[in-house]
Amino acid sequence: MALLQRNVALLLVVVAAACMELYQAQTSIGRCSCPRVQPVKGKILDFQVLEKGASCDKTELVVTRINPDNSTQMLCMFTEGTRAKRLLSCWERINKDKSRKMECIDRLKMAGNGTTEK
């Protein structure tokens, strides 16, 4: 009897693990990472470009901003703004090389857009 209970318990664990794998493998069509976007003001420390894909039909831009109190905040940037367009254009120009992202951030500073959204 104990052997049967142990086998049933093992079977339940395997089935639960398989269900979890299947659940995580599903993609929700139309579900983007950025539910709310906004123009971002202030100094940008880093950015991440989320390309169009199966789960989202638009390119998304997530930036890390330095707040006035020197804390950082991750925000989804409105991609139609001037700063976002410059970042995305630079991202394409550097062939999406993550090691060169600072070049794009430095270009924003040199363009005079370090503190305001245009």
Side-chain angles (χ1 to χ4, degrees):
M1 186 72 169
L3 182 63
L4 179 64
Q5 288 177 338
R6 191 172 66 201
N7 288 344
V8 170
L10 181 62
L11 179 64
L12 287 175
V13 169
V14 170
V15 169
C19 288
M20 287 174 39
E21 286 296 320
L22 287 173
Y23 178 76
Q24 291 175 353
Q26 292 178 348
T27 58
S28 305
I29 298 193
R31 185 106 182 192
C32 298
S33 297
C34 292
R36 189 175 66 108
V37 296
Q38 60 193 16
V40 176
K41 298 179 181 180
K43 185 177 178 182
I44 294 175
L45 181 64
D46 192 16
F47 69 94
Q48 180 181 8
V49 177
L50 306 174
E51 301 288 343
K52 295 178 185 179
S55 64
C56 184
D57 62 349
K58 61 183 178 179
T59 299
E60 298 177 291
L61 183 59
V62 180
V63 298
T64 303
R65 177 182 76 173
I66 299 176
N67 293 323
D69 64 355
N70 288 330
S71 64
T72 59
Q73 181 179 19
M74 291 182 73
L75 300 167
C76 292
M77 191 176 207
F78 178 62
T79 56
E80 297 301 316
T82 304
R83 293 178 80 194
K85 286 182 180 180
R86 285 187 178 151
L87 274 176
L88 292 172
S89 173
C90 181
W91 180 245
E92 292 293 327
R93 195 170 36 254
I94 64 171
N95 296 318
K96 303 175 184 176
D97 183 356
K98 292 180 182 181
S99 66
R100 296 178 61 193
K101 287 195 315 185
M102 283 309 295
E103 292 177 31
C104 297
I105 294 171
D106 291 340
R107 283 181 187 260
L108 278 181
K109 291 177 189 174
M110 289 177 20
N113 292 324
T115 57
T116 60
E117 172 75 23
K118 285 190 174 184

